[in-house]
Amino acid sequence: MTCCENKLESVLNEDIGKLILRFSIAALMLFHGFTKLFNGIDGIKFLVTKAGLPEFVAYGVYMGEVVFPILIIFGLFTRISSLFFALTMLFAIFLAHSSELFVLGETGGLVIELPLLYLLASISLMFIGAGKYSLDARCKKCEIKA
């Protein structure tokens, strides 16, 4: 490895990549969550009841689009939060996009591209964890010292 590659590797490391992944998917999801906080979830309630589920299930959208993304941003309970984020996205795909699973949009991409991207990124986080720049890592250090 050359000197430049070593310097670049010291700056561009996997923990920064994990931080960027965590922050990007969670922060972008918060826009969806905040919209629902301020405008309500009537559309979600309709989809939930139309699918034959009890209406109270719709309130899980607040967990999936607000609470879990905030936990992911801070890197707190990242793996379990990412699991529930992924489940939220599976639920959203099932409720809102089940008829569009293999439909291509005007630009050639899948219509469900965005929810699918959130789903796959959250599954990735389940496997790789939060990384060094997280509250999970900080808590782990406290456990080791105790």
Side-chain angles (χ1 to χ4, degrees), residues 74 84 103 119 137:
F74 288 110
F84 285 112
V103 176
L119 170 65

Side-chain angles (χ1 to χ4, degrees), residues 22-98:
R22 276 191 0 247
F23 187 81
S24 61
I25 68 160
L28 290 171
M29 181 52 72
L30 279 175
F31 287 106
H32 296 271
F34 288 153
T35 297
K36 289 175 181 73
L37 275 174
F38 297 121
N39 299 326
I41 59 168
D42 290 339
I44 306 294
K45 287 180 187 177
F46 171 76
L47 291 172
V48 166
T49 55
K50 182 180 168 189
L53 299 167
E55 188 178 285
F56 77 86
V57 171
Y59 290 95
V61 75
Y62 293 124
M63 295 295 289
E65 294 187 9
V66 178
V67 175
F68 295 127
I70 289 171
L71 291 173
I72 290 169
I73 287 172
F74 288 110
L76 184 61
F77 309 117
T78 304
R79 291 180 194 264
I80 192 76
S81 296
S82 296
L83 169 66
F84 285 112
F85 190 131
L87 291 173
T88 300
M89 295 320 303
L90 279 174
F91 205 72
I93 290 169
F94 166 72
L95 287 178
H97 304 286
S98 59

